[in-house]
Amino acid sequence: MTTTPAAPAAWQRRSDATTAPLDAETLERVDAWWRAANYLSVGQIYLHDNPLLREPLDRDHVKPRLLGHWGTTPGLNFLYAHMNRAIAERDLSAMYVTGPGHGGPGLVANTYLEGTYSETYPDITQDAEGLRRLFRQFSFPGGIPSHVAPETPGSIHEGGELGYALSHAYGAAFDNPDLLVLAVVGDGEAETGPLATSWHSNKFVNPAKDGVVLPVLHLNGYKIANPTVLARIPEEELADLMRGYGHKPHFFTGGFDGEDPAAVHRRFAELLDVVLDEIAEIKARAVDEPDMDRPAWPMIVFRSPKGWTGPKEIDGKRTEDSWRSHQVPLASARDTDEHLADLEAWLRSYRAEELFDDEGRLDPAVASLAPAGHLRMSANPHTNGGLVLRDLRLPDWRDFGVEVDVPGAPMTEATRVLGKFLTEVVRLNPDNFRIFGPDETASNRLQDVYDVTDKQWNAGYLPTDADDHLARAGRVMEVLSEHQCQGWLEGYLLTGRHGMMSSYEAFIHIVDSMFNQHAKWLKVTNHIPWRRPIASLNYLLSSHVWRQDHNGFSHQDPGFIDHVVNKKADIIRVYLPPDTNTLLSTYAHVLGSKQYVNVVVAGKQPAPNFLGVDDADRHCARGLGIWEWAGTEVEGTPPDVVLGCAGDVPTLETLAAADILRRNIPDLKVRVVNVVDLMRLQDEKEHPHGLSDRAFDTIFTTDRPIVFAYHGYPWLIHRLTYRRTGHKNLHVRGFKEEGTTTTPFDMVMLNDLDRYHLVMDVIDRVPGLAARHGLLRQRMIDARHEARAYTREHGEDIPAVADWVWPDVGDTGTERGGPTASSATGGDNE
Amino acid sequence: MTTTPAAPAAWQRRSDATTAPLDAETLERVDAWWRAANYLSVGQIYLHDNPLLREPLDRDHVKPRLLGHWGTTPGLNFLYAHMNRAIAERDLSAMYVTGPGHGGPGLVANTYLEGTYSETYPDITQDAEGLRRLFRQFSFPGGIPSHVAPETPGSIHEGGELGYALSHAYGAAFDNPDLLVLAVVGDGEAETGPLATSWHSNKFVNPAKDGVVLPVLHLNGYKIANPTVLARIPEEELADLMRGYGHKPHFFTGGFDGEDPAAVHRRFAELLDVVLDEIAEIKARAVDEPDMDRPAWPMIVFRSPKGWTGPKEIDGKRTEDSWRSHQVPLASARDTDEHLADLEAWLRSYRAEELFDDEGRLDPAVASLAPAGHLRMSANPHTNGGLVLRDLRLPDWRDFGVEVDVPGAPMTEATRVLGKFLTEVVRLNPDNFRIFGPDETASNRLQDVYDVTDKQWNAGYLPTDADDHLARAGRVMEVLSEHQCQGWLEGYLLTGRHGMMSSYEAFIHIVDSMFNQHAKWLKVTNHIPWRRPIASLNYLLSSHVWRQDHNGFSHQDPGFIDHVVNKKADIIRVYLPPDTNTLLSTYAHVLGSKQYVNVVVAGKQPAPNFLGVDDADRHCARGLGIWEWAGTEVEGTPPDVVLGCAGDVPTLETLAAADILRRNIPDLKVRVVNVVDLMRLQDEKEHPHGLSDRAFDTIFTTDRPIVFAYHGYPWLIHRLTYRRTGHKNLHVRGFKEEGTTTTPFDMVMLNDLDRYHLVMDVIDRVPGLAARHGLLRQRMIDARHEARAYTREHGEDIPAVADWVWPDVGDTGTERGGPTASSATGGDNE
């Protein structure tokens, strides 16, 4: 497989294409292809042997466990066959997104007919033995999955979990102006929320600069055990719905009441030409008029019987055109002679003997329906994104760093500075990097990117200054749907581009299951050599759990990290940069990486900086490290206590606690350890970033108390470290689901993550301190009470906290007011 | 507050209602109410003191931290005022679902004007001091949240996370035939996936037996920083969309271009009467014709300026009717004299002096707009579901139990038997129990419920036997959207009914964030005395990670349990019943419980039974226990090893391992511990169900190896037990994200959870065994190889595994073929 991209789409039918509307021979080829694809699909589901039915079907030829989904498959095959005709006549660069990914056998069958499957998997040859293997491997131990999985050439979309076909299709189309993405949407999938909103993607596509998505709503009529909603509303209502979604719908019904297949093919081919001509016209118009208003893109409502061409009835019960076709209609084929005979008759109805020669090779006349080379949908390089991936051009993040003369100054909004860096990323990569977000790009303070780009918007405009930074084309994609943003981004990445998504931390859970599916895709592709690595999926989670002053409890949940770390260690990375330069360093790193999901959590509120550019660089390279300047260790002596921290707010509290300790117990040897790369905590056997036990022990000690302040749910730290020797000494504070308040430090106190608790933890855990420092402990309790009482009276944090800064390191001898006069957690509104 | 329900909705306007269309005096009252609500809303956001503006506004009267969301609030207030007029005239039983829940100050303001707020919170009196407290508490430490939170009377919906307004509204309407649910959908929320599909809820509502949802799509025009999609498509396109969703849309635009408020009120009041008359007509028709076809229910598209009546411009930038009104438009009111003056002018524009008397009491003429007693939307008992909750009538689950003469027999499909029990639950509770599921009720084998009920379906019917068990009214609600099912169920529970949701285990992650929000709601209401307990939200997760033969990797993820246990211990429960009777016992228990989220994971494939009814009863009451019949302990002697298990497949493998051990190392003292109630593993200080350390140590020992086979990700067991003394001896096997295969035991082997690994674990961990039983260990490796090779050759599990049954307990002396001839994991397709 080479990296030459498919030819640009011509859109218009070639002048030398077969005579209009369609000659009988071409239609016959389309029908033969369809029969061949259906035959291979049924063969995959049922046959263990006798692939060409050269012998009468015997029950031993039937697989012992019949698995897979027949119902959606013949419709998918029908569309594939027709697309092949149209692609060849127009030299289209096209790909096929299979919403009903359960129809795996169909897509595998088509890629086999196109030859791509054998090119990709040379043991699946174009002969009888190859067919036997093709059939046998399907849904078989050691074989291939039953869905349109990563193993299937031409797929960027498994469709295992339903809802994302259109989002993926649009993600693929962005910045691929010559690409046509056929997106088949099952009427089951159409009931999901994410799919229901993804129709509106057409308001975000640019007719000149992006490719074209052609949605086909496949009204198969039934789901697993029910009719579908959209198949059971009046056609005029469905037409209204599609028009309401901004489309021009074309309705097609075929395959019912014994309609002659030739007639069905002719009618559909004509319709497809009409639709593709409409698309060609829009594309031509967009060349002349790049800022044209949003057109009503055509789409097709394709009504065909579920399990089309399968058994009409089984045991007297309607099977074709019913939910009984959903999986394996003749599951008892091995058990009864009658069903075995039914299966044989079904298989023979496709007349394989006309389609394959004696060696089992596809009739060249049928094979000629396929487009050539990369124009085959299964071989379009866009579907194997790594093939067309260009490395992201990254500026040096150091150029955007903040100067830190003394730890604790200046105050900056970390994500805002990141926005400046991203501005340059956008500038350097004008056609293969996009930023996605659910109406939160500015809220998460990345708005400086609007200096060089806009939000792409093809809904209506109003002549008002409220429409700022909206444009017909732009690098920022905003819609109030995390599903939509995630789906677009996935499609964009899977077709070989780069991107990121920013979200409020709590609401990224909305896409938990989408993350799962993408992570699974990455995991599997890591073991498929022909799948080239793609750019990582990068999250920026801001407006995090500790700063939801405007919103409160419903907006607080740091559990996405927990969710992510359940997935395979070789594809997930979690970063909690404590300040601006570490965020810059982290983000520059993740943007350049491949095949990962990177989760980066960072605050957007003004917060102190601790590490200069060089220190941040080193610290992030290590992933964690001892902050000597913050501790009070004595060279050559072990510390008395380790203060660990991960996350910006916990780091601040830890430093404030360290400050209190050094002022009040100057002889206590405190070590401060900050963790940026969370997976460093895990065992090196469990995660590639994991520290060796030896390194861990060196940093955290094996026998000293560790008081760890963590951004999220505290047990994650236990989970990551439970095998470490020092784990028995580990005490973790984090988010405890106590969240309704509105000042920063009050929120921290509500969850007992505050500096006063951390100091008390040290006093309680370091041997001997409790006896000697009972007074300090009491002062901590008092300071905490005072701070809480202040917020309840004044509605803002006590100045001793709000104005606290890390003292000059050279200044430790001076008592500056004691605990109640030393503290802070930023400020400002969301 | 009493439990008397609100009067049934009359639907028709009372004959003594004010003269049609509307007299000027009523309109003036509506306007006064609106002004009062707006004034109180602005007051809550900005004012710390001087609530009635008796003094000139000083910066000290303004809160130091300005938090909240103004933009959506005036529109919400407008609708509330108009609903009050209509409710009073029709004696409607109505409730208000606030999609834009960020508009918390508005809903609090209205409930205060209705008097409900003061009845609920007596310290918030109906006078100047009450107003001062009302203002001060809003978004203030120790006060109330800024959203329409559980603290807000009349709310069942916080709207913190957007997308569920319509689902909640329909859930509330089911089985409440006399209830009108006004559901305000923000145009931001309308972009989310769950909301986009929830419009189709109208195909699932029964006009005679259910209540009415009146959706109001509030075209506020802007989100946080962008225009909204639906506000920027042509009105005809939006009309198409709403018709396509099955509604009859009514468009209203008001408040632009300086329109006289009186005119706006008159026009909207007329429209609301038209809409309510249409509803009354449909309801009347439904009485005569209970099986009527689905009507086109009316809905309102309500276009008004964002931040309506607020500052037109601030610093020369358009504010009203722009996203700049989203939160706090004059955030700098304390900082500049000009903005302080602007704020004062804005507040004074509502003419509070006309609305409140000298004591700060609302003018009785204005107050009279509110309906009486329970007809006030904020006092409708349906909005405090526990008030109207009737206990579920539960049959004795023992009557449905399977007889278990010897452990290991008979084979049953656990969920199928549960279906029989649920059939009786449905029969006994014909109007307050529903089963929700994403087209998976039959797939999860609960189909016996169709003996007594049907799937409620008000889309179209076809005269085919494929339309079985569909009816205009029924207890089962199926649509292919986990979001929709969850949202409906939440709405149903929050209004005082009972229900459950069945789902494939992997795809329940789709509603992770919805679970979060419901769990947070429950957590908060546990601390609000006037919120009465509601029925638990019960999940049945089947088609679980270990049995996805048809589907594979994309359908495998047991992490919902991990997600759930991050929430507060007092509201979450997780159960993993190992067989049929334990599932029945568990489900009977959870259906009768209140204020929890119960997660029950159970297989649907044929599987052996181990516990008879009485044993299951005792075992489930304990939550975990030693299965003496499965072990080889000697009375009075500690075991050599503990085999722990949780989940049906892990339990089977553990028993098979125990079988191998007793045959081959008969002197080894094995203890088998099965865990049904997962939270028993946790410390009693962490979870109410947690075992004491003493009890845990007694069961699991403190010093013997524990080999634990777990259904999900193994680290959860570590997380739950890391504080236990015996944790250092604990070895857990579980799901490792290795999932593409198609036979049950092959799947188990792929994840190293198989019996052979468990036996090897025992040999490796019990001192002395490795030296003596190297041969057995090697036989395990060989048996595993043989089993894998068999699946790859035959496509099904090796008979030694597939046919394995637990030997009669009295039969342990007989060698029955050794390890390779002993095993199983069920069978059958999905």
Side-chain angles (χ1 to χ4, degrees), chain A residues 52-65:
Chain A
L52 286 161
L53 291 186
R54 295 285 152 79
E55 306 165 45
L57 188 66
D58 184 274
R59 68 188 55 202
D60 288 342
H61 299 148
V62 179
K63 295 183 181 183
R65 305 190 78 226

Side-chain angles (χ1 to χ4, degrees), chain A residues 561 565 678-683 686 696 710 715-724 727:
Chain A
I561 298 173
V565 299
L678 201 62
M679 305 319 289
R680 294 293 271 164
L681 293 178
Q682 205 166 18
D683 195 296
E686 301 280 324
F696 187 93
Y710 171 54
W715 31 82
L716 181 64
I717 302 300
H718 288 293
R719 172 185 149 181
L720 295 175
T721 61
Y722 71 85
R723 291 183 173 164
R724 306 293 192 178
H727 178 257

Side-chain angles (χ1 to χ4, degrees), chain A residues 166-167 170 174 197-205 484 488:
Chain A
L166 282 179
S167 301
Y170 278 95
F174 293 137
T197 202
S198 66
W199 294 104
H200 290 297
S201 296
N202 54 29
K203 281 103 200 166
F204 296 87
V205 79
Q484 184 72 295
W488 284 344

Side-chain angles (χ1 to χ4, degrees), chain A residues 146-166:
Chain A
S146 70
H147 294 182
V148 186
E151 289 86 345
T152 314
S155 172
I156 62 162
H157 175 95
E158 169 158 349
E161 179 177 298
L162 300 176
Y164 319 118
L166 282 179

Side-chain angles (χ1 to χ4, degrees), chain A residues 464-468, chain B residues 70-72 220-227 232 256 304-308 311-314 317-327 329:
Chain A
T464 147
D465 72 354
D467 280 14
D468 57 347
Chain B
W70 163 246
T72 185
N220 224 3
Y222 297 91
K223 297 171 289 200
I224 301 179
N226 283 293
R232 293 295 181 92
F256 294 90
S304 72
K306 185 155 188 159
W308 192 8
K312 301 269 180 243
E313 283 195 349
I314 297 174
K317 288 190 171 155
R318 178 201 192 100
T319 302
E320 191 195 51
D321 193 26
S322 100
W323 48 265
R324 296 192 188 92
S325 286
H326 182 72
Q327 287 184 342

Side-chain angles (χ1 to χ4, degrees), chain A residues 42-200:
Chain A
V42 183
Q44 288 176 75
I45 296 173
Y46 293 89
L47 294 187
H48 200 56
D49 208 340
N50 191 15
L52 286 161
L53 291 186
R54 295 285 152 79
E55 306 165 45
L57 188 66
D58 184 274
R59 68 188 55 202
D60 288 342
H61 299 148
V62 179
K63 295 183 181 183
R65 305 190 78 226
L66 293 170
L67 300 169
H69 297 79
W70 163 246
T72 185
T73 301
L76 296 174
N77 290 341
F78 183 93
L79 295 167
Y80 208 107
H82 280 267
M83 279 296 288
N84 274 352
R85 196 268 308 169
I87 288 167
E89 288 182 1
R90 292 171 194 252
D91 293 331
L92 285 172
S93 171
M95 57 186 282
Y96 193 119
V97 169
T98 315
H102 297 62
L107 274 288
V108 168
N110 282 285
T111 64
Y112 178 82
L113 295 174
E114 289 179 313
T116 319
Y117 208 87
S118 301
E119 292 163 22
T120 310
Y121 302 104
D123 58 318
I124 308 291
T125 44
Q126 297 276 324
D127 54 19
E129 173 59 15
L131 284 173
R132 198 184 68 89
R133 289 172 182 237
L134 181 77
F135 290 0
R136 199 182 162 97
Q137 69 171 4
F138 174 79
S139 252
F140 202 82
I144 63 166
S146 70
H147 294 182
V148 186
E151 289 86 345
T152 314
S155 172
I156 62 162
H157 175 95
E158 169 158 349
E161 179 177 298
L162 300 176
Y164 319 118
L166 282 179
S167 301
H168 284 172
Y170 278 95
F174 293 137
D175 293 320
N176 275 327
D178 300 317
L179 183 67
L180 175 70
V181 187
L182 181 84
V184 184
V185 177
D187 47 356
E189 174 169 25
E191 294 176 15
T192 67
L195 197 291
T197 202
S198 66
W199 294 104
H200 290 297

Side-chain angles (χ1 to χ4, degrees), chain A residues 454-522:
Chain A
D454 294 295
K455 293 173 275 193
Q456 184 157 316
W457 177 261
N458 280 290
Y461 285 79
L462 287 178
T464 147
D465 72 354
D467 280 14
D468 57 347
H469 303 305
L470 298 179
R472 295 286 177 193
R475 300 284 98 198
V476 178
M477 309 298 299
E478 291 218 297
V479 63
L480 208 168
S481 165
E482 285 79 1
H483 292 112
Q484 184 72 295
C485 293
Q486 169 93 13
W488 284 344
L489 174 56
E490 289 177 358
Y492 198 66
L493 298 174
L494 287 161
T495 48
R497 281 77 63 78
H498 305 266
M500 60 175 286
M501 172 168 175
S502 88
S503 169
Y504 286 9
E505 182 182 36
F507 298 148
I508 199 68
H509 272 303
I510 290 171
V511 296
D512 273 3
S513 64
M514 297 183 77
F515 155 79
N516 279 351
Q517 299 298 333
H518 189 75
K520 283 172 184 277
W521 183 280
L522 290 179

Side-chain angles (χ1 to χ4, degrees), chain A residues 538-810:
Chain A
N538 301 307
Y539 293 106
L540 174 68
L541 306 185
S542 194
S543 306
H544 63 50
V545 62
W546 299 104
R547 294 304 304 273
Q548 282 296 341
D549 322 349
H550 269 281
N551 298 294
F553 199 31
S554 63
H555 282 52
Q556 290 159 5
D557 188 301
F560 188 65
I561 298 173
D562 303 68
H563 180 69
V564 163
V565 299
N566 272 342
K567 288 289 168 277
K568 277 284 178 189
D570 51 356
I571 48 169
I572 57 106
R573 302 286 182 271
V574 180
Y575 300 94
L576 294 154
D579 66 359
T580 298
N581 288 327
T582 49
L583 174 62
L584 289 172
S585 168
T586 300
Y587 231 82
H589 173 71
V590 303
L591 286 178
S593 70
K594 291 182 184 170
Q595 287 290 106
Y596 299 142
V597 176
N598 295 301
V599 179
V600 181
V601 186
K604 69 187 189 185
Q605 304 291 351
N609 284 283
F610 304 109
L611 301 188
V613 164
D614 293 334
D615 290 337
D617 197 18
R618 275 190 294 273
H619 187 57
C620 291
R622 285 192 206 106
L624 89 184
I626 299 169
W627 281 4
E628 288 178 18
W629 54 268
T632 48
E633 286 191 78
V634 176
E635 181 82 34
T637 326
D640 299 312
V641 63
V642 178
L643 299 184
C645 51
D648 55 358
V649 166
T651 298
L652 184 67
E653 290 306 307
T654 296
L655 291 174
D659 182 25
I660 296 170
L661 288 169
R662 69 161 61 189
R663 289 173 195 281
N664 292 279
I665 320 180
D667 59 334
L668 184 72
K669 297 189 289 298
V670 174
R671 171 177 294 177
V672 174
V673 177
N674 179 267
V675 180
V676 179
D677 176 351
L678 201 62
M679 305 319 289
R680 294 293 271 164
L681 293 178
Q682 205 166 18
D683 195 296
E684 63 183 336
K685 291 187 288 292
E686 301 280 324
H687 195 283
H689 284 197
L691 284 180
S692 68
D693 275 336
R694 189 193 160 110
F696 187 93
D697 294 349
T698 304
I699 292 168
F700 287 101
T701 80
T702 56
D703 57 353
R704 300 303 151 128
I706 308 165
V707 175
F708 200 107
Y710 171 54
H711 172 84
Y713 295 112
W715 31 82
L716 181 64
I717 302 300
H718 288 293
R719 172 185 149 181
L720 295 175
T721 61
Y722 71 85
R723 291 183 173 164
R724 306 293 192 178
T725 311
H727 178 257
K728 60 187 181 302
N729 312 310
L730 175 64
H731 178 65
V732 186
R733 292 194 175 272
F735 182 65
K736 302 194 306 178
E737 290 280 326
E738 297 288 354
T740 304
T741 187
T742 52
T743 83
F745 191 65
D746 202 43
M747 172 69 194
V748 172
M749 286 191 288
L750 204 55
N751 286 279
D752 297 339
L753 183 75
D754 53 284
R755 55 199 66 182
Y756 306 127
H757 266 105
L758 296 176
V759 170
M760 287 188 270
D761 286 341
V762 171
I763 294 172
D764 294 345
R765 278 167 179 76
V766 176
L769 285 196
R772 285 192 289 129
H773 292 282
L775 194 60
L776 178 62
R777 198 180 188 292
Q778 186 58 47
R779 279 169 64 205
M780 294 296 104
I781 294 170
D782 295 345
R784 204 167 171 282
H785 282 161
E786 192 187 342
R788 291 216 81 176
Y790 187 95
T791 64
R792 269 144 192 71
E793 173 65 19
H794 299 276
E796 54 188 350
D797 286 331
I798 194 166
V801 168
D803 303 337
W804 176 86
V805 290
W806 178 253
D808 292 356
V809 179

